[in-house]
Amino acid sequence: MDVVLLNPQDKTAVKNKLGLSLPPLNLMYLAASLEKASFSVKIIDDDLKRWGSERIANIIEKLNPLIVGVTATTATIKSSLEYIKTIKKLLPDVLTVIGGPHPTFLPLDTLKSLKELDVVVIGEGEETITELAEKYEKKDKKGLEEVKGIAYRKGSKLKINEPRPLIKDLDRLPFPARHLIPFHEYETSNEEAGGMITSRGCVYSCEYCSSSLIMGKKFRFRSPENVVDEVEELVYKYGLHDIAFLDDTFMLHRRRAQAIADEIKARGIDVNFVTSSRVDMVKRPLLEKLKSAGMSTIYYGVESGSQRILDLMKKGITLQQAKDAVKTAKNVGIDVIASFILGYPGETPEEMDKTIDFSIKLDPDYSQYSILTPFPGTPIYYKLKKDGLLEEDWDKYTVIHPVIKYEKLGLSKELVKRKLVKAYLKFYSRPSYLLRHTHMIKVFLETFYRTYIEPNLPFKDVTTPKST
């Protein structure tokens, strides 16, 4: 085995709209690029298996790979480093590599925090991990100096190389290596198992978001033909007729979105799909065209019911645009998922209530609420850190735990947590809502248990395998 790619356990409660585990698309992309370069690759998803670092390390020891790559968000960084430490104990010569949003923004801090970690991949990883593997396979340690987009350990020194340019032609990337993932084992819906990314980069500068900093300010996109080739693979090879386009701003290039719809129809593919859009990009003719091609659901980042807070966030939208976007989608017969953030610095309790009430007034089919979590790399993170308003216990960066020192802002953490619980209860327990969405009663109760009760159980063993 040349390379093992590992997805660690993620205790983050809100992983997607219903808090379920998803196949690790990022690792499938890396694996596909490595396989294209003739490396043998295995993906281990411990967020699915829940085996824990000791058992995973024993499995990897038997595989004896050249390289172990681990992905990490802020909430999983401690856990990811623990896996690396345990693996290195059994395989001292293996090259340990970490990537993902958190290490991308704090590469030297990440290296400093664990001597068993050899390399941090910064930003887009497909070309970097492949070049890294090629250099290391030749045992060319000096070659690491030539690999763009990494930070690494050289003796007792930490080095950071020049950045790697973003991949210009996304059509050149091979489709994710889905054959390395056991789809049938995920307790999730088909459309989420069939996740796809058709574009990268974001031209916007929302204060709480790091997308444009990881994937660039320039919007890069795959051609409609290339996108629909992958749709065909998902439908005909993997039998997935429900797909989620996981782009940050799928509809930024409207003509391309329209061309994707036309291509799906021209090929006669029977598929349902979910997309996301900013509320200021929605046009009825485009939604109608996408619906005729199979779009069933649209995801909007509304974020607040207070215009003042939206402006503080630099979201660049209005409440009226949010109302119009939800109404337009409903009139076309498309389900709506809306996300909202509570506890933005400077927000008052009354404004949080405004957001809850606004979410109910909009009446989307599903609402997702989170507490403002200033992830490293976001503009709001640097501002709050500078003012000494952040706790940096990364385990708590799960979007349901307050990590801002609200007391210094005239609020309390308890109040913000109560508002989050209030939002979910108030939205999902409405009799009128439950009558229209009877299947949501079970989902709501399970999600509420998993999000607020299960993480606080003193006897919970996090290594317990999931039941299927």
Side-chain angles (χ1 to χ4, degrees):
M1 184 58 58
D2 296 321
V3 183
V4 172
L5 299 175
L6 172 63
N7 191 35
Q9 280 188 42
D10 184 356
K11 295 169 200 163
T12 304
V14 185
K15 296 174 190 174
N16 64 352
K17 68 177 185 285
L18 299 176
L20 304 174
S21 296
L22 303 180
L25 190 60
N26 56 340
L27 295 187
M28 291 189 268
Y29 263 113
L30 299 179
S33 291
L34 286 162
E35 285 188 332
K36 190 180 177 185
S38 301
F39 289 98
S40 60
V41 188
K42 184 174 181 65
I43 293 176
I44 300 175
D45 186 1
D46 203 32
D47 195 35
L48 172 71
K49 297 297 188 183
R50 303 272 155 166
W51 286 337
S53 60
E54 296 284 344
R55 186 170 170 189
I56 293 291
N58 287 325
I59 291 167
I60 292 175
E61 184 188 20
K62 291 186 180 76
L63 295 168
N64 194 25
L66 281 172
I67 297 171
V68 172
V70 183
T71 185
T73 62
T74 298
T76 64
I77 186 64
K78 283 191 191 172
S79 166
S80 298
L81 293 172
E82 186 57 40
Y83 283 89
I84 287 170
K85 189 177 180 180
T86 314
I87 292 160
K88 196 79 160 179
K89 210 180 285 178
L90 298 180
L91 291 169
D93 295 329
V94 76
L95 186 75
T96 52
V97 181
I98 200 165
H102 187 90
T104 285
F105 291 114
L106 299 173
L108 296 178
D109 284 12
T110 305
L111 276 173
K112 272 181 206 161
S113 63
L114 187 73
K115 68 179 191 303
E116 290 86 354
L117 174 62
D118 299 316
V119 181
V120 171
V121 169
I122 299 165
E124 233 171 359
E126 289 90 351
E127 291 179 348
T128 307
I129 192 79
T130 304
E131 188 183 343
L132 186 64
E134 286 168 345
K135 299 273 187 201
Y136 192 68
E137 189 184 33
K138 293 172 189 161
K139 289 295 171 198
D140 180 5
K141 287 263 185 165
K142 193 184 171 203
L144 295 190
E145 294 171 19
E146 298 163 15
V147 180
K148 291 178 181 175
I150 64 167
Y152 64 102
R153 195 180 299 282
K154 189 178 183 185
S156 60
K157 291 183 178 169
L158 304 181
K159 303 270 188 181
I160 190 158
N161 291 351
E162 65 177 284
R164 180 173 294 275
L166 293 166
I167 298 164
K168 282 198 181 105
D169 180 10
L170 296 181
D171 282 5
R172 280 194 305 107
L173 288 175
F175 297 158
R178 293 186 170 90
H179 58 281
L180 299 178
I181 288 294
F183 280 104
H184 62 280
E185 291 184 29
Y186 286 85
E187 55 153 21
T188 184
S189 60
N190 283 339
E191 81 264 4
E192 286 151 334
M196 278 179 63
I197 295 172
T198 78
S199 64
R200 295 181 180 182
C202 180
V203 300
Y204 297 93
S205 304
C206 302
E207 289 279 288
Y208 55 86
C209 181
S210 60
S211 283
S212 62
L213 298 159
I214 296 178
M215 292 297 179
K217 291 284 284 180
K218 189 166 187 257
F219 184 66
R220 295 166 292 141
F221 52 88
R222 294 164 56 190
S223 66
E225 295 75 19
N226 179 264
V227 170
V228 181
D229 285 348
E230 188 177 347
V231 170
E232 281 193 323
E233 181 181 274
L234 283 165
V235 172
Y236 299 127
K237 185 175 176 182
Y238 294 100
L240 297 169
H241 288 268
D242 297 277
I243 292 169
F245 292 126
L246 301 169
D247 310 40
D248 288 317
T249 48
F250 178 80
M251 293 192 197
L252 185 65
H253 192 317
R254 290 196 195 101
R255 275 204 309 275
R256 186 192 76 115
Q258 190 168 311
I260 289 170
D262 289 338
E263 190 71 17
I264 290 170
K265 287 169 76 175
R267 299 193 199 182
I269 305 168
D270 176 20
V271 67
N272 289 316
F273 58 91
V274 178
T275 65
S276 61
S277 175
R278 282 174 59 92
V279 297
D280 57 351
M281 286 177 187
V282 177
K283 297 281 185 255
R284 181 164 181 147
L286 177 58
L287 288 192
E288 286 174 339
K289 174 149 285 210
L290 286 163
K291 182 172 169 35
S292 71
M295 184 166 92
S296 58
T297 308
I298 192 162
Y299 180 100
Y300 293 135
V302 178
E303 315 312 4
S304 181
S306 158
Q307 189 61 53
R308 187 182 81 85
I309 298 302
L310 286 175
D311 295 343
L312 277 181
M313 292 175 173
K314 295 193 179 163
K315 182 74 183 161
I317 62 168
T318 66
L319 296 176
Q320 190 57 50
Q321 285 170 331
K323 288 179 198 168
D324 293 344
V326 172
K327 190 177 175 187
T328 303
K330 286 185 162 203
N331 287 344
V332 172
I334 292 168
D335 283 355
V336 176
I337 303 164
S339 71
F340 301 91
I341 295 170
L342 300 170
Y344 201 83
E347 190 173 16
T348 65
E350 293 72 31
E351 283 169 321
M352 288 184 232
D353 287 335
K354 253 189 185 176
T355 293
I356 297 167
D357 293 341
F358 186 63
S359 71
I360 289 166
K361 191 175 175 188
L362 287 179
D363 197 26
D365 295 275
Y366 311 95
S367 268
Q368 180 179 301
Y369 305 91
S370 58
I371 294 173
L372 188 275
T373 305
F375 292 105
T378 59
I380 193 71
Y381 167 80
Y382 296 111
K383 286 179 186 173
L384 292 173
K385 186 175 169 66
K386 184 168 166 274
D387 294 338
L389 290 169
L390 278 186
E391 286 179 10
E392 293 194 341
D393 178 354
W394 303 131
D395 284 348
K396 289 185 177 165
Y397 278 59
T398 61
V399 307
I400 62 163
H401 291 292
V403 294
I404 295 170
K405 295 176 180 173
Y406 283 109
E407 285 69 18
K408 291 188 178 180
L409 295 170
L411 298 173
S412 75
K413 286 182 182 170
E414 282 309 311
L415 180 135
V416 177
K417 277 165 83 171
R418 282 201 308 273
K419 294 292 184 192
L420 184 68
V421 173
K422 177 183 176 180
Y424 273 106
L425 284 173
K426 204 167 175 186
F427 184 89
Y428 283 104
S429 63
R430 291 171 293 147
S432 61
Y433 176 85
L434 292 170
L435 279 170
R436 283 178 288 128
H437 303 83
T438 48
H439 68 288
M440 282 301 293
I441 298 172
K442 182 170 179 276
V443 171
F444 169 62
L445 291 173
E446 284 177 353
T447 305
F448 198 80
Y449 175 81
R450 184 170 46 242
T451 305
Y452 299 107
I453 299 170
E454 191 179 39
N456 297 313
L457 294 177
F459 52 82
K460 178 166 169 55
D461 176 5
V462 294
T463 62
T464 303
K466 287 185 180 182
S467 58
T468 52

